[in-house]
């Protein structure tokens, strides 16, 4: 009897001991849970993509006699890379994508770095205002510029009359100006420069100007100082912007889809979209893997070449000060230049889009053509196929609600999970678990959005593991947006947790304070600023997302972006542009509110890669 | 070690074969129905167990079922659903507009996972629907008995068409006048029409795909038409198999303009005040914009070798549907009121008053350029020419057997 009681007593003690052990290792369990979840949501899709690319699909049976669904084959690889179709399906679009990637990266890095230098290192006036305006394009969907471009430079190739340019100057732009490579690069460059701007200005702000002064004292002129001192110091930031811009612009769908088709300008993402629509999933996934490899390659090269030189930046020492370059006589001209640039890329598109929504016929710029129909009109079969004005349109309101729901939920969930993942990674640093979790949470970054949408579509059209069939529900869209944003959220989480000294938590731990309380009272308050800026970043990216969700939305789960795309496809430009404005207003004001009232840091959450 | 590899492989297989695990290969010849489906057919009185249709009983059972789930390729089904619910308030309709590819894909992947969520499926895309869905027992054909005599067999077998749409050539009447600028389709491949032919991307639209692919199917007619126009036998480009493909080849290499939507195509050819308008190859129903948007499109007719290609929009009951009687009732509703005759006059707008009451589920689709499969329903105003047109009908077997080859040819040439 006694011995038995003793036995159970020992058991109890052992149990208590192991529980205590566990409690001290909350982060370890968290890391494990996250690892399993991500393996399911990230690694499984990747494996599925690879397997699909190596097997016969149902549709292939029609082309290959005797094929069996699911049987191993190089069929898709040979179609994409060596068959008769290879040139049209892969090589030409691939070259196009590379040129777009290179062109956009060059353009946006030049614009972004120049602006960063002017705003951080010179005494240009109205800095604060300019700083907040410059990042606005980053808050809009990347293809808004393409919509504006078509309003201005459209020619008669796509029918009807040509755009504003013709109306003002009487010249019809040639095809290469209106559609294809050139406008794709310009439109994307005017969007993606924000990345370079944010990253380079971050780097410039930390450079000690004594270094530059030393250069001037040794007889270097201004250009040489820039070339020999400033440039090498911002090189890591440039490397990051290169990776980010290049992989993003190669994988983007909306802009090439809007501007490319009329002149048959195809890129890899538009080919993926077309292949999926044609039920050639195998082909589509081979193409998607090309993008995965490219994005991973860009990250690898960056970490190899530039990552090593990062240590070099911190050489400034302690006596940090930042003296601004005096623009002198150039002050006003430079300010005017910056202002003109911002007018062209922000004010002009917004004004044009707004004006267009008040035009009864889309190409008629006379005053008598103005109408408020597209905002507040009732259904009229003479206009826009009977679509009600934007404020009276249930479909659009449904989209507003869906988009907001998505943006807010994703923002909150991503920020929380990012913080927890960051905590798990940082606290278990040095273990294999930590490394694995860091890698896996960053993995969605290399997925081309459009391919990720395709794979989630086929994975979740029926129950998958413990998850019920999600296709057609809002949760699928929420899920994919959360996963796709996780690289950024986890990075934000990691850097937030890194700033909190472990000892703070350890003190509480020795006091016997539970993990949840520690998290609530210590970790969360200290990482608040990062938490909120991570939130607003996720909010922005999920509100403007198109490529990721275009294959997943159904009428009941429509988002503002997919509504815009559909309106544009149906040639209801006023509605498309009006809804775009609604979306922009929501994003910009949400950003303003959060920054104002939650004292979040700026949107500079993208210091990754 | 070996064991670990085995486990790893097993994990890969399970993760990877998500969809394909339960997949059934495409079957060409219908054999016996699967057992569970057979039981359901018996219970729902469908297929071989249809017997005499008792419509009072169907309506009673439909009301008992109280629900109907529709997968469709058309957003207008929602409007049909709204009028249906007005007439049958006891039945709640949930319609999902998934596009034609989405409708087929969702149906397949759900049914493969033994989920039978949808009751009624209505979509275009003949090859896929007949061969992938019907022939694999994912659908069952149902024709309301009162309409059998009014619907020609080609529109109800193997699968009921709820409406058929035309695919035609249109030109700008304001600029070119009452006589169309071409009378032979090969003229579009001449220098005069370089960069002046528009169509909607067939890769993004099954209707356009069916129309264009059907042209390829009629290679013989195209060959003859070429001879009629030029007096010479056609010379094929290298690697181009026949005159049908050759037409597509020459069209593409004559700077064919591909747009993303039918609306844009209609506008390109039909907007007023143009100085150099193109010819559109497009869905006949876009002629409706003449009334609503002031376009000046007109049919290119007479035209050699065809004037219209008839494309089907099917409706069918999904396998093991939970609400088969509601689906039957809705099918009948889609075809309009039985009392309609060729002399019935409908007043615009068709979605109001007596017109709406008679047209029922046909109402939202009642427009020029399309036609009810019933030969007792007059065509809508503006589409009167339908009966005079020299028409081809889309052939699901060609679409299925040759469709992918044509598609590969298209992808290859469009990108070169």
């Amino acid at each position: 009897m006694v011995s038995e009681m003793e036995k159970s007593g020992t058991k109890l003690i052992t149990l208590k001991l192991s529980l205590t052990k566990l409690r001290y290792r909350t982060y370890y369990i968290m890391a494990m849970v996250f690892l399993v979840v991500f393996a399911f949501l990230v690694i499984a899709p990747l494996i599925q993509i690879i397997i699909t690319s190596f097997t016969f699909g149902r549709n292939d049976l029609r082309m290959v006699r005797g094929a069996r669904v699911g049987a191993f084959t190089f069929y898709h690889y040979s179609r994409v890379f060596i068959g008769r179709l290879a040139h049209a399906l892969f090589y030409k679009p691939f070259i196009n994508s590379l040129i777009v990637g290179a062109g956009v990266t060059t353009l946006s890095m030049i614009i972004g770095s120049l602006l960063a230098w002017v705003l951080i290192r010179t005494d240009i006036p109205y800095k604060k205002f300019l700083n907040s305006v410059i990042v606005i394009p980053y808050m809009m969907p990347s293809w808004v510029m393409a919509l504006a471009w078509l309003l201005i430079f459209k020619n008669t190739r796509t029918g009807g009359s040509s755009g504003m340019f013709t109306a003002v100057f009487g010249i019809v732009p040639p095809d290469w100006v209106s559609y294809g490579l050139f406008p794709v690069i310009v439109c994307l460059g005017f969007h993606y420069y924000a990345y370079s701007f944010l990253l380079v200005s971050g780097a410039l702000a930390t450079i000690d100007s004594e270094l530059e002064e030393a250069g001037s004292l040794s007889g270097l002129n201004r250009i040489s100082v820039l070339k020999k001192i400033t440039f090498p110091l911002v090189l890591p930031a440039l490397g990051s912007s290169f990776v980010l811009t290049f992989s993003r612009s190669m994988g983007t769908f909306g802009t090439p889809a809007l501007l490319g088709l009329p002149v048959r300008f195809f890129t890899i993402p538009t080919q993926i979209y077309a292949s999926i629509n044609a039920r050639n999933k195998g082909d589509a996934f081979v193409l998607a893997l090309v993008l995965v490899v490219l994005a991973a390659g860009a990250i690898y090269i960056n970490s190899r070449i530039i990552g090593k030189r990062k240590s070099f930046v911190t050489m400034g020492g302690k006596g940090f000060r930042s003296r601004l370059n005096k623009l002198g006589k150039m002050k006003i001209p430079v300010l005017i230049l910056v202002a003109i640039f911002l007018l062209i890329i922000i004010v002009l598109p917004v004004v044009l889009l707004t004006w267009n929504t008040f035009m009864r016929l889309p190409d008629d710029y006379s005053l008598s053509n103005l109408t408020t129909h597209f905002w507040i009109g009732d259904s009229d079969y003479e206009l826009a196929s009977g679509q009600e004005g934007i404020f009276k349109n249930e479909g659009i309101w449904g989209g507003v609600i869906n988009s907001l729901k998505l943006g807010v939920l994703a923002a909150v969930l991503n920020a929380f999970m990012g913080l927890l993942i960051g905590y798990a990674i940082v606290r278990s640093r040095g273990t294999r678990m930590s490394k694995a979790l860091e890698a896996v949470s960053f993995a969605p970054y290399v997925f081309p959005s459009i391919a990720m949408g395709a794979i989630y579509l086929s994975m979740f059209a029926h129950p998958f593991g413990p998850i019920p069939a999600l296709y057609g529900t809002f949760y699928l869209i929420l899920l994919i947006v959360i996963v796709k944003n996780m690289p950024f959220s986890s990075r934000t989480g990691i850097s937030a947790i890194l700033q909190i000294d472990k000892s703070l938590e350890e003190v509480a731990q020795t006091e016997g304070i539970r993990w949840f309380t520690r998290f609530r009272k210590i970790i969360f308050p200290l990482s608040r600023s990062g938490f909120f800026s991570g939130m607003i970043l996720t909010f922005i990216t999920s509100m403007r997302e198109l490529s990721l969700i275009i294959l997943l939305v159904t009428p009941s789960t429509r988002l503002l972006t997919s509504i815009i795309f559909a309106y544009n496809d149906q040639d209801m430009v006023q509605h498309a542009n009006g809804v775009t404005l609604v979306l922009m207003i929501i994003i910009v004001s949400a950003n303003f509110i959060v920054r104002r009232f939650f004292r979040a840091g700026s949107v500079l959450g993208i210091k990754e890669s | 070690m070996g064991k670990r590899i085995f486990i790893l492989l097993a994990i890969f297989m399970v993760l990877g074969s998500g969809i394909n695990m339960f997949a059934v290969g495409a079957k060409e010849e219908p054999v016996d129905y699967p057992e569970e489906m057979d039981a359901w057919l018996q219970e729902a009185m469908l297929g071989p167990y249809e017997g005499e249709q008792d419509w009072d009983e169907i309506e009673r059972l439909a009301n008992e079922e109280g629900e109907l789930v529709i997968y469709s390729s058309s957003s207008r089904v929602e409007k049909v659903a709204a009028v249906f619910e007005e007439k049958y308030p006891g039945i709640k309709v949930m319609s999902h507009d998934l596009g034609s590819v989405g409708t087929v894909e969702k149906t397949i992947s759900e049914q493969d996972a033994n989920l039978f969520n949808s009751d009624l499926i209505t979509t275009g895309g003949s090859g896929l629907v007949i061969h992938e869905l019907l022939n694999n027992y994912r659908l069952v054909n149902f024709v309301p008995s009162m309409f059998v005599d009014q619907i020609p067999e080609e529109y109800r077998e193997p699968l009921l068409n709820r409406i058929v749409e035309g695919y035609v050539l249109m030109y700008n009447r304001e600029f070119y006048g009452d006589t169309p600028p071409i009378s032979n389709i090969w003229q579009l491949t001449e220098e005069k029409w370089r960069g002046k032919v528009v169509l909607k991307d067939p890769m993004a639209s099954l209707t356009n795909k069916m129309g264009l692919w059907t042209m390829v199917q009629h290679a013989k007619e195209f060959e003859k038409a070429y001879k009629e126009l030029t007096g010479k036998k056609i010379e094929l480009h290298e690697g181009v198999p026949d005159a049908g493909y050759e037409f597509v080849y020459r069209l593409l290499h004559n700077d064919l303009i591909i747009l993303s939507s039918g609306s844009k195509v209609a506008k390109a050819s039909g907007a007023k005040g143009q100085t150099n308008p193109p010819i559109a190859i497009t869905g006949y129903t876009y002629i409706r914009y003449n009334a609503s948007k002031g376009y000046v499109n007109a049919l290119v007719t007479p035209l050699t070798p065809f004037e219209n290609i008839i494309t089907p929009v099917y409706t069918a009951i999904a396998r093991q549907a939970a609400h088969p009687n509601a689906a039957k009732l809705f099918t009948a509703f889609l075809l309009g009121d039985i009392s309609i005759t060729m002399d019935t006059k409908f007043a615009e707008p068709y979605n109001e008053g007596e017109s709406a009451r008679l047209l029922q589920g046909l109402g939202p689709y009642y427009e020029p350029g399309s036609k009810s499969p019933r030969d007792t329903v007059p065509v809508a105003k503006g589409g009167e020419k339908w009966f005079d047109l020299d028409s081809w009908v889309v052939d699901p077997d060609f679409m299925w057997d040759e469709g992918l080859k044509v598609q590969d040819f298209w992808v290859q040439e469009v990108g070169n």
Side-chain angles (χ1 to χ4, degrees):
Chain A
M1 254 329 235
V2 176
S3 71
E4 252 181 44
M5 266 183 72
E6 256 177 17
K7 247 188 201 167
S8 60
T10 334
K11 257 187 196 162
L12 213 69
I13 291 165
T14 332
L15 194 68
K16 221 175 172 181
L17 265 176
S18 54
L19 269 180
T20 326
K21 231 179 179 173
L22 277 178
R23 201 165 67 206
Y24 279 98
R25 288 191 171 192
T26 316
Y27 55 82
Y28 206 73
I29 296 166
M30 272 165 52
M32 210 145 75
V33 171
F34 278 122
L35 200 58
V36 170
V37 170
F38 275 101
F40 201 66
L41 293 174
V42 181
I43 307 299
L46 184 62
I47 292 170
Q48 174 99 54
I49 287 183
I50 294 170
I51 289 179
T52 309
S53 75
F54 277 115
T55 47
F56 282 119
R58 189 190 310 277
N59 218 34
D60 303 327
L61 305 185
R62 294 163 58 188
M63 288 291 269
V64 187
R65 290 267 161 248
R68 207 166 41 76
V69 172
F72 178 86
T73 177
F74 285 112
Y75 177 65
H76 301 293
Y77 285 86
S78 90
R79 268 171 71 85
V80 172
F81 294 125
I82 51 181
R84 268 193 319 150
L85 279 180
H87 179 72
L89 190 59
F90 172 68
Y91 291 103
K92 212 168 159 188
F94 182 65
I95 301 288
N96 285 342
S97 283
L98 280 181
I99 299 174
V100 166
V104 172
T105 309
T106 314
L107 181 66
S108 59
M109 280 173 71
I110 291 173
I111 299 174
S113 324
L114 277 177
L115 284 174
W117 187 78
V118 169
L119 261 92
I120 303 288
R121 308 292 299 178
T122 72
D123 58 346
I124 191 168
Y126 309 115
K127 257 187 201 176
K128 210 170 171 190
F129 174 74
L130 290 176
N131 233 323
S132 55
V133 174
I134 278 176
V135 290
I136 286 183
Y138 173 78
M139 297 179 207
M140 311 193 232
S142 60
W143 35 269
V144 166
M145 202 59 81
L147 290 181
W149 187 276
L150 286 174
L151 283 182
I152 304 173
F153 294 110
K154 180 169 100 71
N155 67 16
T156 46
R157 187 176 172 82
T158 51
S161 57
S162 28
M164 251 195 75
F165 187 81
T166 313
V168 176
F169 298 102
I171 307 163
V172 178
D175 283 347
W176 68 269
V177 171
S178 302
Y179 316 102
L181 180 67
F182 175 72
V184 167
I185 289 182
V186 174
C187 289
L188 286 175
F190 284 174
H191 171 78
Y192 284 115
Y193 80 85
Y195 289 124
S196 313
F197 172 78
L198 292 171
L199 288 161
V200 173
S201 54
L204 281 175
T206 61
I207 295 176
D208 193 327
S209 42
E210 269 179 22
L211 286 169
E212 288 172 332
E213 278 163 27
S216 308
L217 285 175
S218 352
L220 292 175
N221 62 22
R222 221 174 247 193
I223 303 291
S224 306
V225 168
L226 265 180
K227 214 167 81 183
K228 299 215 161 145
I229 296 170
T230 318
F231 178 71
L233 288 173
V234 295
L235 197 60
L238 289 174
S240 298
S241 19
F242 167 77
V243 172
L244 198 60
T245 316
F246 188 75
S247 50
R248 280 286 166 118
S249 53
M250 282 215 36
T252 189
F253 167 74
T255 304
L258 285 169
L259 294 170
L261 191 62
V263 289
R264 294 190 218 155
F265 177 82
F266 301 117
T267 62
I268 297 281
T270 64
Q271 292 296 60
I272 294 176
Y273 185 73
S275 294
I276 285 166
N277 266 337
R279 302 175 86 233
N280 278 336
K281 241 184 250 162
D283 294 3
F285 288 165
V286 173
L287 293 169
L289 285 171
V290 171
L291 288 185
V292 170
V293 169
L294 271 176
I299 292 170
Y300 179 77
I301 291 169
N302 180 54
S303 69
R304 277 282 133 149
I305 298 176
I306 297 168
K308 275 186 182 161
R309 299 173 65 167
K310 258 179 188 163
S311 51
F312 179 78
V313 182
T314 53
M315 280 192 359
K318 278 192 175 170
F320 184 87
R321 70 206 173 83
S322 163
R323 181 179 294 167
L324 301 176
N325 295 293
K326 292 230 158 48
L327 286 170
K329 267 190 298 190
M330 295 301 287
K331 206 182 220 171
I332 300 303
V334 169
L335 182 65
I336 288 174
L337 268 180
V338 173
I340 288 176
F341 175 75
L342 293 176
L343 277 177
I344 289 175
I345 67 151
I346 297 163
V347 181
L348 184 66
V350 171
V351 168
L352 277 181
L353 292 184
T354 314
W355 187 0
N356 177 268
T357 61
F358 289 104
M359 284 160 61
R360 192 178 172 86
L361 298 170
D363 311 304
D364 178 353
Y365 294 91
S366 65
L367 281 179
S368 57
N369 187 40
L370 293 180
T371 173
T372 54
H373 175 80
F374 299 102
W375 288 101
I376 53 169
D378 288 314
S379 179
D380 175 356
Y381 276 82
E382 303 275 302
L383 287 170
S385 304
Q387 283 283 320
E388 293 95 348
I390 290 168
F391 289 128
K392 291 192 173 171
N393 195 309
E394 272 180 42
I396 293 173
W397 281 111
V400 169
I401 289 166
N402 279 339
S403 279
L404 276 175
K405 215 163 85 182
L406 177 71
V408 171
L409 280 175
V412 172
L413 289 170
N414 262 102
F416 263 110
M417 283 169 68
L419 199 60
L420 292 178
I421 289 174
Y423 179 82
I425 289 174
V426 172
R427 290 290 182 259
S428 60
R429 267 272 149 96
T431 62
R432 245 189 259 169
M433 181 82 84
S434 167
K435 266 191 196 140
L437 181 57
E438 191 169 356
V440 165
S441 65
F442 193 67
Y445 180 82
V446 298
F447 274 87
S449 301
I450 188 114
M452 192 159 160
I455 200 70
Y456 267 54
L457 171 65
S458 53
M459 269 174 62
F460 295 106
H462 50 83
F464 181 74
I467 305 175
L470 289 179
Y471 178 62
T473 68
F474 173 76
Y475 300 101
L476 181 57
I477 293 167
L478 181 63
L479 183 72
I480 197 169
V481 165
I482 289 177
V483 173
K484 183 72 186 166
N485 274 309
M486 203 42 83
F488 301 95
S489 312
S490 60
R491 289 284 150 140
T492 315
I494 290 173
S495 52
I497 300 292
L498 275 176
Q499 286 165 9
I500 304 169
D501 202 289
K502 212 178 168 182
S503 57
L504 283 174
E505 215 194 329
E506 278 165 357
V507 171
Q509 219 168 334
T510 47
E511 295 289 317
I513 295 171
R514 282 165 179 282
W515 179 83
F516 184 73
T517 319
R518 298 201 308 267
F519 189 82
R520 202 163 49 90
K521 295 256 159 118
I522 303 170
I523 297 167
F524 183 69
L526 286 173
S527 52
R528 235 177 77 122
S529 161
F531 181 83
F532 282 115
S533 52
M535 255 178 67
I536 188 70
L537 184 74
T538 311
F539 180 80
I540 291 171
T541 46
S542 40
M543 289 290 285
R544 59 166 201 209
E545 188 58 71
L546 175 71
S547 317
L548 194 62
I549 52 94
I550 184 89
L551 292 165
L552 300 178
V553 287
T554 53
S556 57
T557 58
R558 272 187 304 186
L559 301 172
L560 285 175
T561 47
S562 70
I563 290 174
I564 296 167
F565 207 75
Y567 274 135
N568 191 66
D569 249 4
Q570 290 155 31
D571 203 36
M572 301 185 197
V573 273
Q574 293 95 333
H575 273 85
N577 295 334
V579 181
T580 306
L581 286 173
V582 171
L583 178 65
M584 280 169 55
I585 289 167
I586 293 176
I587 294 178
V588 172
S589 41
N591 182 47
F592 175 79
I593 291 168
V594 171
R595 283 172 65 176
R596 183 74 191 259
F597 295 102
F598 295 94
R599 276 171 293 149
S602 68
V603 202
L604 314 179
I606 52 164
K607 287 182 190 156
E608 45 61 69
S609 50
Chain B
M1 194 61 193
K3 202 174 162 194
R4 265 169 81 178
I5 289 175
F6 177 76
I7 291 172
L8 211 66
L9 268 178
I11 292 174
F12 272 47
M13 300 268 287
V14 171
L15 285 175
S17 56
I19 340 161
N20 298 334
M21 243 167 113
F22 310 98
V24 199
K27 295 184 197 81
E28 291 297 333
E29 294 299 318
V31 280
D32 290 334
Y33 289 106
E35 209 175 304
E36 332 78 278
M37 186 178 178
D38 197 68
W40 169 78
L41 286 170
Q42 214 160 344
E43 165 83 31
M45 296 181 74
L46 279 166
Y49 309 103
E50 197 177 285
E52 189 113 342
Q53 295 173 13
D54 176 350
W55 281 89
D56 291 332
E57 180 67 1
I58 289 174
E59 190 177 332
R60 190 185 66 79
L61 290 169
N63 272 301
E64 231 166 63
E65 288 163 3
E67 244 180 48
L68 177 67
V69 182
I70 301 173
Y71 290 176
S72 87
S73 61
S74 157
S75 54
R76 277 180 274 179
V77 166
E78 272 178 55
K79 287 186 189 160
V80 181
V83 270
F84 181 81
E85 283 177 338
E86 247 168 60
K87 188 172 177 196
Y88 303 103
I91 304 169
K92 168 116 189 65
V93 183
M94 279 156 289
S95 73
H96 301 269
D97 168 14
L98 304 164
S100 40
V101 175
T103 300
V104 174
E105 290 290 335
K106 191 166 163 70
T107 304
I108 293 173
S109 53
E110 281 185 351
Q111 295 196 356
D112 281 349
N114 274 317
L115 291 172
F116 301 96
N117 291 339
S118 55
D119 300 312
L120 187 121
I121 285 166
T122 168
T123 179
S126 59
L128 280 180
V129 176
I130 299 297
H131 288 267
E132 190 82 287
L133 297 183
L134 184 69
N135 290 356
N136 281 320
Y137 316 116
R138 299 179 193 283
L139 300 176
V140 53
N141 189 24
F142 175 76
V143 185
S145 51
M146 57 280 209
F147 296 117
V148 171
D149 295 342
Q150 304 184 0
I151 301 176
E153 196 178 342
E154 52 180 335
Y155 293 151
R156 57 179 157 82
E157 293 296 335
L159 208 51
L160 178 64
N161 291 193
R162 70 170 163 77
I163 196 135
V164 290
E165 292 175 353
Y167 191 70
V168 297
L169 273 65
M170 288 187 198
Y171 74 101
N172 188 303
R173 191 199 301 252
E174 181 193 49
F175 184 79
Y176 295 106
D178 284 341
T179 312
I182 64 162
S183 59
N184 186 311
I185 201 163
W186 283 98
Q187 286 173 279
L188 296 180
T189 64
E190 292 169 354
E191 191 55 34
K192 180 169 185 253
W193 294 98
R194 171 167 287 274
K196 280 176 63 183
V197 182
V198 287
L199 57 67
K200 180 179 177 184
D201 187 3
M203 297 295 284
S205 148
L206 286 176
T207 304
N208 284 270
K209 193 178 268 186
M210 287 191 284
L212 209 60
W213 280 206
T214 299
M215 293 184 209
V216 175
Q217 181 188 1
H218 290 77
K220 288 229 164 60
E221 289 85 339
F222 269 83
E223 197 174 334
K224 209 169 131 233
Y226 185 85
K227 184 120 196 245
E228 266 179 53
L229 179 69
T230 62
K232 283 179 286 188
K233 192 174 183 303
I234 190 161
E235 279 175 39
L236 304 177
H237 282 84
E238 205 193 316
V240 179
D242 60 40
Y245 283 98
E246 181 68 21
F247 175 72
V248 172
Y249 180 95
R250 292 195 189 182
L251 198 60
L252 275 170
H253 291 271
N254 205 28
D255 196 16
L256 174 71
I257 297 170
I258 304 163
L259 301 178
S260 59
S261 78
S263 309
K264 287 181 189 170
V265 171
K267 180 169 146 194
S269 62
K272 268 187 190 163
Q274 297 191 66
T275 51
N276 194 14
I279 284 186
I281 305 177
T282 184
Y284 189 176
T285 58
Y286 286 100
I287 202 94
R288 68 181 182 269
Y289 287 157
N290 282 7
S292 66
K293 292 190 173 184
Y295 293 169
V296 284
N297 275 315
L299 291 196
V300 177
T301 157
L303 180 71
T304 312
F306 74 94
E307 292 168 328
N308 182 25
I309 293 173
I310 299 176
T311 61
V313 181
Y314 298 109
T315 182
I317 298 181
R319 172 180 174 173
Q320 281 162 263
H323 316 105
N325 290 292
K328 287 180 186 175
L329 200 60
F330 197 85
T331 306
F333 190 75
L334 278 168
L335 295 168
D337 193 87
I338 187 73
S339 69
I340 301 173
T341 68
M342 281 309 263
D343 299 322
T344 310
K345 296 273 178 281
F346 297 110
E348 287 178 278
Y350 302 127
N351 59 350
E352 282 170 22
E354 182 65 6
S355 302
R357 195 191 64 77
L358 284 175
L359 288 168
Q360 299 184 347
L362 197 55
Y365 297 92
Y366 196 68
E367 58 189 10
S370 67
K371 191 194 161 304
S372 163
R374 294 168 57 188
D375 49 23
T376 49
V377 178
V379 293
K381 199 174 144 232
E384 293 83 357
K385 274 191 176 169
W386 181 281
F387 298 104
D388 309 328
L389 296 176
D390 178 10
S391 301
W392 293 339
V393 180
V394 172
D395 171 11
D397 295 335
F398 178 85
M399 292 298 293
W400 183 253
D401 297 330
E402 299 295 316
L404 288 181
K405 271 181 217 154
V406 187
Q407 178 171 298
D408 274 1
F409 184 80
W410 174 268
V411 170
Q412 182 185 329
E413 293 309 326
V414 83
N416 275 337

